[in-house]
Amino acid sequence: SLSTFTQVVDEIYYTVDSLSPWVTTRASGSPSSFFVLLFHLLSLPLTPANLAVLFAHPDSPYLRAAGFLAARLVLDPRELWDALGEFVQDEEVVMVEPKKGVMGGGKEVRLGRWVRDLLVERKYLGDLVLPRIPEPILKDIRGNLGANTDVPRHAAYRGTVSPPRHPAHRGAGGATARDSPPPRHSAYRGGANSPPRHPAYRGASAAGHRHAASRGAPGEDEASPPRRA
């Protein structure tokens, strides 16, 4: 049973390898792992601190995508550009259609392109209807997209190359390595040799943004959900 934010984050990390709503196609009638876990995520008391953890997560683009889509679904439209605008040039590649067995296939896009579509398209991947954004706000978003072609890449992804993908999301010949459980991601490792934490996690003032698994105290990630403006 997935009853906490930490459990859902772990499950997304280990199982999601596509942002498609469906296992194969809509005709199959079977929702994908990504959408099943997104439902679990939205069933929790999702806080702004939880969204900040997902937005800045360094270990899987699918965790970050879960945060972006959750924000698109629950935030007031007036808040969307401030929440997601800095990510529209994220260059990491994600799968939006699953690979078809050993023959490969599937479809991939850059995460920033996917975020842009979340902000301006009426349907998710041309399939599922998203909450309506009022036309004046949508016009502002389109203007921001046109005027901000040089938006800096998110701090977690700056540099000449994209960050290395976790073994759980790569594998020989593009296959996903599932033969044995991958090591737990860095947010859970702890210890003196852990990599530097993202700025959203540092300092006493950012304590609320630390992942629940790093705090150890039960229930700290279950505050009241964000209120609409």
Side-chain angles (χ1 to χ4, degrees), residues 44-48 50 219-226:
L44 299 173
L46 195 63
T47 68
N50 294 151
E220 288 186 354
D221 59 343
E222 299 182 3
S224 299

Side-chain angles (χ1 to χ4, degrees), residues 2 6-16 37:
L2 302 175
T6 301
Q7 290 172 335
V8 177
V9 166
D10 272 346
E11 197 69 14
I12 293 172
Y13 176 74
Y14 286 121
T15 65
V16 172
L37 293 168

